[in-house]
Amino acid sequence: MTTPQQDRQLLEKLSPSRMLLPVAIGLGVVGFMFWRSYQPGDLAPLADARPLWLLVVLAVLFVRDVGYMYRIRHISERQLSWRQSIDVIMIWELASCVLPSAVGGTTVATFIINKEGVPLGKSLAYVMATAMLDNLYFVVVVPFVLLLAGDTIYPTEVLDSGFITTLKVAFWLSYVLTFIYSGLMAWALLINPHVVKRLIMRLFSVRGLRRWRRRAWQHGSELVWASAQLRGNGWAYWSRAALSTAFVWTARYLVIGCLIAAFVPVSWATFGIIFARNLVYKVVLLVAITPGGAGFAEGAFPFFFRSFAGSATITNFILLLYRIATYYLYLVLGSVFLPRWVGRVFSKKVAHEVMAS
C-alpha cells in the first residue's frame, strides 16, 4: 500500500483549491473570445439547433464513460467492482483536469487504483497497460485517417504555409515518438522487459541524457515489474482491452463533430474530417503546461474547427459547450465523487487535513 506521505501528495494534487485556476483560465479565455467576436445577431442560428444531436452528445459521453469503467474493470481482472470502477474513473478524470496536459491523470492513476486495495505492482501494471493501449490506438488510427482525409486534417484554410509546416513536423514527430514508445512498451510488457530496460539504460547513458538516467532506470524497473503482473493473460484478455480502448477513444473524438452538427448542417464526409482533425488538435494540447490544457484548448479550437462551425461567435459557443461537456462537467463530477472516495479509502486524519486546505 502507499505510504502516508504518498497519500498526502496524492490528495494535495486532487485538492479542490486546484480547480479554481483552470476554471478561471478557461472561462477567461472563452469570455475574451466572445468579447472580441460578438456582433448583434450572431447567435440567431442557435434558434435552428438540432436537439437530436445534443442528445447524441450526451449519449456519446455516457457510453464513453461506461466504456472506461468496463475497460479498467476488465484490465484489473475484475479486482475492481463496478462501484470502485466508477470512483476510479471519476477521480482519474478529475486528476486529468487539474494536472497539466503534458502530465495527465495517469501519473496518479496507479495510486488511485492502489487505494482501492489492488497491490501496488498490479496497479502499476494496469495503468501501464491502459497507457500502452491508448498510444497504440493513436498509432493504428492515424494511417487510416490520413488515407481517408489526407491533408484536410490540417487547418490550411486558416494558417499560413509556415505554420502548417511546423504543425506537420510536430504531428509526425509526435507520431514517430508515440510509435516507438508504444512499441517498446508492448515488447516490454508482453515479451521481454529486461531487453527494453537495458536498451533504455544504454540510451540514457549518452552524454546529454545522463541527467535523466536515474529516472530511466526507475521506469525500466517499473516495466519489468508490470510485465511480471500481466504476463500470462491470453488473447481474450487483450482483445477485449483493445476493443474497449478503441471504443472509448472513438467516442471521445466524436464529441466535437456531434456538437457542430447540432448547429450547422454537416455531411458525413465533413464529419469524418472533423474527427480526423481531433487527432492533430490533441497533439497540440500535449504541449500545454496549464491544468487540463486550460487556455490552450480554448485558444487552439477555432483554428481547427471554425471553418466547419461558421461564424466566430458560433464557434466560440460550440467551444464553450465542448469544454462544459468534456472538462467542466468532470470537474463538477470529480468534486462530487472526491469527498466520498476520500472518506472511503483514506484515514479520517489525512483526509481532513488535505480536504480542508
Side-chain angles (χ1 to χ4, degrees):
M1 297 296 286
T2 55
T3 66
Q5 180 63 26
Q6 289 173 324
D7 288 347
R8 286 183 171 83
Q9 290 176 349
L10 172 60
L11 285 176
E12 286 169 359
K13 290 179 179 179
L14 299 175
S15 173
S17 61
R18 285 181 173 264
M19 302 179 194
L20 300 177
L21 179 61
V23 170
I25 294 174
L27 292 181
V29 171
V30 172
F32 176 74
M33 292 166 67
F34 265 114
W35 175 75
R36 287 192 61 185
S37 68
Y38 181 75
Q39 297 292 331
D42 277 356
L43 295 177
L46 299 185
D48 299 322
R50 301 164 183 80
L52 178 61
W53 277 108
L54 295 177
L55 292 177
V56 171
V57 171
L58 295 177
V60 167
L61 292 172
F62 176 76
V63 298
R64 187 200 74 164
D65 286 343
V66 171
Y68 272 128
M69 295 165 196
Y70 170 83
R71 183 177 74 156
I72 194 61
R73 187 167 186 263
H74 171 72
I75 287 178
S76 68
E77 300 167 288
R78 298 194 177 185
Q79 292 189 56
L80 297 175
S81 67
W82 279 108
R83 177 191 172 181
Q84 288 175 310
S85 299
I86 293 172
D87 285 347
V88 165
I89 293 303
M90 289 302 160
I91 305 305
W92 195 336
E93 289 286 345
L94 175 64
S96 299
C97 291
V98 299
L99 295 173
S101 295
V103 177
T106 303
T107 56
V108 298
T110 298
F111 297 108
I112 294 172
I113 297 173
N114 177 238
K115 295 308 296 184
E116 294 291 350
V118 178
L120 188 59
K122 287 192 174 183
S123 299
L124 176 65
Y126 299 148
V127 172
M128 283 193 165
T130 62
M132 176 191 71
L133 291 167
D134 289 344
N135 287 326
L136 285 174
Y137 174 84
F138 179 75
V139 168
V140 171
V141 167
V142 164
F144 289 102
V145 164
L146 287 174
L147 182 64
L148 296 174
D151 277 353
T152 58
I153 66 171
Y154 305 108
T156 54
E157 70 280 359
V158 177
L159 300 176
D160 62 35
S161 59
F163 279 107
I164 293 297
T165 299
T166 301
L167 188 59
K168 286 182 178 180
V169 170
F171 178 74
W172 281 109
L173 179 62
S174 175
Y175 180 81
V176 170
L177 292 176
T178 302
F179 183 91
I180 294 172
Y181 181 68
S182 58
L184 287 175
M185 281 194 72
W187 185 274
L189 293 176
L190 305 178
I191 301 176
N192 194 330
H194 297 283
V195 169
V196 175
K197 182 180 178 181
R198 287 196 294 269
L199 178 62
I200 292 173
M201 294 310 299
R202 288 179 181 176
L203 175 63
F204 282 88
S205 296
V206 176
R207 183 178 299 177
L209 298 178
R210 290 175 185 170
R211 69 179 69 180
W212 296 291
R213 182 178 171 83
R214 185 172 181 178
R215 186 176 298 178
W217 179 87
Q218 180 181 354
H219 188 57
S221 299
E222 289 173 347
L223 285 171
V224 174
W225 200 9
S227 177
Q229 305 296 330
L230 293 171
R231 195 172 300 175
N233 290 325
W235 170 253
Y237 174 87
W238 288 110
S239 61
R240 288 187 182 184
L243 286 173
S244 59
T245 297
F247 178 83
V248 297
W249 276 99
T250 300
R252 193 170 190 139
Y253 286 142
L254 288 174
V255 174
I256 293 178
C258 293
L259 281 172
I260 292 175
F263 302 101
V264 180
V266 173
S267 67
W268 288 113
T270 302
F271 197 96
I273 294 172
I274 295 171
F275 179 91
R277 284 202 180 179
N278 265 280
L279 294 168
V280 186
Y281 177 57
K282 296 300 182 185
V283 168
V284 171
L285 298 188
L286 290 177
V287 303
I289 60 173
T290 55
F296 285 82
E298 290 82 0
F301 187 93
F303 291 102
F304 286 91
F305 304 109
R306 179 179 172 179
S307 59
F308 309 109
S311 70
T313 302
I314 292 296
T315 301
N316 293 337
F317 181 79
I318 293 173
L319 163 62
L320 179 60
L321 290 183
Y322 171 66
R323 291 296 278 173
I324 289 174
T326 61
Y327 186 72
Y328 299 117
L329 173 63
Y330 292 96
L331 285 176
V332 173
L333 290 175
S335 67
V336 172
F337 278 83
L338 182 63
R340 186 185 70 174
W341 180 73
V342 167
R344 182 167 61 82
V345 303
F346 287 92
S347 68
K348 291 183 177 180
K349 180 180 179 181
V350 173
H352 177 74
E353 285 178 0
V354 179
M355 294 302 291
S357 62

